[in-house]
Structure formats: structure tokens, C-alpha cells
Amino acid sequence: MTTAPAARHRAVGSAHTRVEGRDKVTGAARYAAEIPFTGLAHGWLVVSTVARGRIRSLDTAPVLALPGVLAVLHHGNAPRVETDYTGLLGKPDPTAAVFQHDRVPHLGWPVALIVAETSEQAREAAETLVVHYDREPHDIAFTADHPRAYPAAGYGPAATEKGDLEAELAASAVVVDAEYTTPEEHHNPMEPHAATARWEDGRLEVVDSNQGTTWVAGELANLFSLDPSTVRVRSEHVGGGFGSKGVRAHQVAAVMAATVLQRPVRVAMTRRQMFSLAGYRSPTSQRIRLGADADGRLRALEHRSLNLTSTVHEFIESSTAPSRVMYDADAHHTVNRVVRLDVGTPTWMRAPGEAPGSFALESAFDELAEKLGVDPIELRLRNEPERGPASGLPFAGRNLSACFREGARRFGWADRDPRPGVRRDGRWLLGTGTAAASFAAGAGPSTAAVTAEANGTFTVRINAADIGTGARTALTLVAADALDVTPDRVRVRIGDSDLGPAMIAGGSMGTRSWSWAINLAAAELRERLTPGGTVPPEGITVRSDTTAALGALAQKERHSYGAQFAEVAVDPATGEVRVRRMLGVFAAGRIVNPLTARGQFTGGMIWGISMALHEEAVRDGATGGHYGADLAAYHVAAHADVPAVEAHWVEDHDPDDPVGIKGIGEVGIVGAAAAVANAVWHATGVRHRHLPIRPDRVLLAGAPDA
């Protein structure tokens, strides 16, 4: 085989349908719960019906006598696991370490696993099992002034502080001091969480639906005190994750059962169980104080955020993250606080921190613009920082102003009458709003192997995870350009921990991290392929590791940015809010595949509509559980709620970054809810600081008369 001739049309930047698309639409692509195994048994989790207390006893004998039942695992007989370790993402959530003690810290805590020959038998037996509890009083009340709240660091410091806040507020011509709240929200990916575990030739294999097999394999090895080389996790196709598909109770329970029974065992969560066991976005209570001169220049910015977590694990929803990046002030203070309650542990959910934090910050900026009599876009542009407000680091490109200029042009912002409540269409009050967006553009160490095959094709092996974002296709295009061949000559293999360590699909870091590793391996491979040379039957393989390259990258503030625009119609008689159109313009580095990228951007924006108007998980104070833990009662935006949604992007280049790719999976939701809320204010003249903006809240708040 010879190397490719002259440089050809670049694959990156061209629209390309998904390489696995045919398999998915024909059903050839099999997900975690669909792969057959000989001798497969089925596990069904039994979860607690009390919010706090102890398990006094379990009536297992009648259950074991039921047809097909093979085992009942619980705290009295389950294998022991190790939890005193630090994994890839820190200390493990003890919820995953199932059946280790008799304590119940929240409703829906796993108390047993029924294993049977069929899923139906396991479910019936699980519903038959009687568990006796010693109940204890529980506390699930989340309030802004909860006495047990304390500052806590997440993936940044608990607090940042510079300048004299009170002095700058006192010297400000205009001050905004407001509190904003967001409710508990849930991921609900189309594919529920499922895993199958089996032992074969001394190795543990887990076929799973997750966001990183390196991560899950490492956690399972730690939990069960196994040599990492004896654990293999495969996750070829994933039907959505959004942050929830990490290490959960079902994988650990499956491994326990497979170990005890010495046969393959599959455990899948029900949709209802996902509400208590798959994590969620914590509710937040946020206070924003802004002080500005008469010309709109910020003198003071304070952002205080509170979220809840469980009593067994600390999770921080870092909602002050947008304030630490977006706008500077002479006095700039932020703090994240948390309170432990008798609830399940929250987790990462699309744009963790930034999504709820941007609602508060960008709503407050709209209020400030109103008080100043300044256009909301102009106010933001007047407060563009030169360096990171909290970090002090320089920005590696910050094209937010370009996003706003292009967005304003496309949206027709110049024709907007700034007065609220004056524009009508029949019974509908019309309004438009805008908000800024940002999300960090990070990268994690990854390895990749690229093989030149004897038949003239190339095989890329990298432990990436495609959770529905189109990562397989994006990496195919990246590899094609790096090898200077057409995409049809590239095959990408992903989703297998045996491929070596790589970054997870999270934090909008996946594609950037994996592409970097592929580029390094491909560059070395091309050097080894001599013109006219022959590739041996076994191929020529080069492996890369980006750890050193990442360490050499200059320390700067690296982010994707965006400008969100929304037009809404509000019926003052019924309180109904309808989003008529949305536009997002983003600065997000090199766009690898415009086809799937546009889907990521608009998907995030649609989720922003859902966040603004629909999503709200409500708990029953008496039981500690959810009202309607299913998709019948937990409302999400449906097709009828989604109007014309457009996404575009501007040129965005970081001269120090050899990859040039930034994450786009999360920036699309950031600012979207604020843009809708700001549009509702413009339509009605009434400010909504609490999500979702339900019809009853619109009616209670009132609106201008017809």
C-alpha cells in the first residue's frame, strides 16, 4: 500500500450522515439490554419504601420458593465491596455500593436484588418481597435559609472573592438584588440504565450503557478489589446519557449476582427507579446582586448558590460557574453552598452548574438592563472582561460579541420595541428576550491506536463513548483528515475498556480529547508509511497518549460561547406560554460535522425550552418520594412545544490549541431558559424568577389587561 497522494477535500467541516445510522434505524445496532447471552439470568432491584431508617428484616423465604427465583441478595448475604478509594472522578457515591449495611438514607435506596430465570419472574418476586423497616424522621425540605447549609468546593473553589462588595454596591447608580430558583430536574434518556455481568476465563465482563468504559471498569475493579486487567467493560451503543450514565447500583448488583451464581446476570432499571438511582439536577436557590454605574459598567457582582445533596455523598451543583467567567466587576464575589438532606445524590446533568446558574445570572442582567434603560445586548457588550474574572487567566479567544452581532442580525433584534407588554397578536402578548451562554472547553488525557491495514484501509481504536451525539462519525472525519484519506477508508472502534484509557463522554470534553489522541497517532503513522512501501498482513499500528501534550498547553480560559434569542407568546387569560421561535449563535471552535453539530445545539436549546416552561420534579414531604416518577407526570417539551429552532456558528480559533475543537454538547442549553424567561417579561411586563414558568404562575403574577 502507498500513502495517499495529494491533499484532498477536508472531511472535517463537511456534513456527514452518521456512520452507524443504518444500523440504528434498522435495529442492527444492539443496546445493553438487547444483547443475548447463553444462560442469562435477570435481576430486579427492590428499593426502599421509607425515606430514612433501618432494615429490620426481609421475608426472603416465600420469595425464594417462587417459580424461577434463583437468589435474593441483600445486606445480610451480598458480597462485600471496597469504598475507601479515589477513582477517576473522585470518591464513589455509596449508593452504588449496594447491600453493604442496613441503613436507608433516602426513599428508593436499593435494599435487595431478586434474580430469576426471566425478567417477568424477577419482577413478580420483587413485588412480593416484604421488607420490615424501623422508620426515622426525615428531612427533604430545601430552603434558601436552611440552617445546615455550608460552603463546598466542586470542580472549583467553594468561594471566590475580590474587592469590597458592600462599598461598590453603595457607590452604584443602579442595583439589582434578586433571588432565583430552579427545581429538581431529571435526565430521562430514551434508553434506561442496563448492564449484564458475566465471568469468563477468570475475567469479569460487563456489557453496559455508560459514558466511559474506562471509568466504569476502573470503579468496578476498585469496588471488588480486582486486578484492573481482569475487568472488561463494553458499551458499543448508548441511547442517551446527559451525565447520568456513570457507575450506578445496577452494574454493581449485576456483578454481585454473576459472582454468586456464576452465570450471566442482567439488571435494568425501570423508569421509576431512575428517578431515585440515576441521579438528577439538584434544585437551586440563587441570589444575585449587581451594581452598576449609570452607563452600565459593573461595579459589583455577587452570585450565591445553594443546592442539596444526599446524606451519603456530597455533590456540588456549581451554579456560580457562569459568573466566574462571563462578567467582571471591581467587587466580584461568588460562593457555592450545599445542604445534606434525606434524598438521593444529584449528579451531572447537561451543563451542570452552567444551566441553572445562567438562568439566574442572565435574568439578573436583563433586570439590570431594564433599570438602566440600556439594550440588553449592549449592556453585555459593555461588560466584556479582558481576563477571567475569577481566575485572572487570559482568554484563549472570546467571540461572544460576534455571536450577539450575528444573532441580532438574524433575529431582527434592531426592530424590537424595548417596552414590555405592548406587542400583540390577537389574544397573545408577544415578547423577545436574549441571554449569553458559555461552557468550558476542556480536555482529558486519552490514548488511541491507529492501524494501517494491508487492504488500504485504516482502523482507529479509541475508548470513546458515543452517547447519541455522533461521536463515531466525528472521529471518522477527524481521522480521515489526519491520515489524508477519504472517510470511507476509516473504521473507528469505540466503547471497549480493552482499547485503553480515554476521556469519558462528559463535560463537553469527549470529542476534543479523543481527536487529539487520534491526531497524534495518525501523524506518527504517516511518518512511518513510506511512499511505495508495503504494509504487512498484520498492519502497522501506532499508539498515542496525550498526557504530555495536555500538560504543555498554555493555561488560559477556554470556553465555547453563545448568544440565545427567543420569541414567546403569552395568553394572559389562561397563563399559557408558547415559544414561537428560538435562535442560537455559537462560537465553539472547529465544527467537525455540521449535520450532527446542529442537532446538538438545537437539542440543547429545546431542552432549555423544557427547563423554562415544563420540567419540575416535586417531592411529597410526607414520604420523601416523588409525585409521579414517570414521563406521564414529569413533563418535558414535546413536538407541539418546539417551534422553529435555528442554530448557527461563527469563526472561533484558538492559536495555541493544536486541535481547535471545543465541546458543543452542553453550551446549547446554557442561557436558553433565561432567554425564554426574559422574553416572557418583555411580553407581559412581569418578571419570573422561579422555574418553570407554569400557567398558574403567570396567572398569579398577572399581566397587562387586554
Side-chain angles (χ1 to χ4, degrees), residues 366 430-434 566-568 570 674-684:
D366 207 65
L430 305 182
T432 52
T434 190
E567 179 179 53
V568 304
V570 182
V676 173
N678 293 338
V680 171
W681 168 81
H682 187 232
T684 64

Side-chain angles (χ1 to χ4, degrees), residues 104-135:
V104 174
H106 64 80
L107 191 94
W109 177 267
V111 297
L113 179 76
I114 310 296
V115 188
E117 295 289 354
T118 70
S119 178
E120 292 79 8
Q121 289 171 334
R123 178 176 184 171
E124 182 180 358
E127 293 172 349
T128 303
L129 180 66
V130 176
V131 182
H132 302 277
Y133 300 96
D134 291 325
R135 295 174 181 263

Side-chain angles (χ1 to χ4, degrees), residues 434-518:
T434 190
S438 74
F439 198 83
S446 298
T447 61
V450 180
T451 301
E453 307 288 0
N455 63 2
T457 64
F458 295 85
T459 302
V460 176
R461 295 176 176 85
I462 185 164
N463 195 13
D466 190 338
I467 59 174
T469 58
R472 259 188 198 83
T473 309
L475 297 181
T476 299
L477 303 184
V478 167
D481 279 2
L483 295 164
D484 199 17
V485 299
T486 54
D488 61 297
R489 290 176 60 187
V490 177
R491 298 290 179 270
V492 175
R493 302 286 181 259
I494 66 172
D496 187 337
S497 61
D498 277 0
L499 297 176
M503 181 61 194
I504 66 171
S508 290
M509 292 189 282
T511 300
R512 183 167 185 251
S513 303
W514 306 324
S515 296
W516 202 326
I518 290 170

Side-chain angles (χ1 to χ4, degrees), residues 625-699:
H626 294 100
Y627 291 108
D630 51 47
L631 290 177
Y634 182 83
H635 294 169
V636 297
H639 284 297
D641 301 301
V642 178
V645 179
E646 292 184 49
H648 302 275
W649 44 85
V650 298
E651 288 293 323
D652 187 39
H653 179 61
D654 175 1
D656 298 329
D657 189 341
V659 180
I661 295 170
K662 296 180 179 179
I664 61 173
E666 289 164 291
V667 71
I669 192 177
V670 182
V676 173
N678 293 338
V680 171
W681 168 81
H682 187 232
T684 64
V686 177
R687 184 69 62 179
H688 289 269
R689 301 188 182 99
H690 311 288
L691 295 184
I693 306 174
R694 303 188 311 255
D696 61 305
R697 286 177 168 167
V698 175
L699 291 174

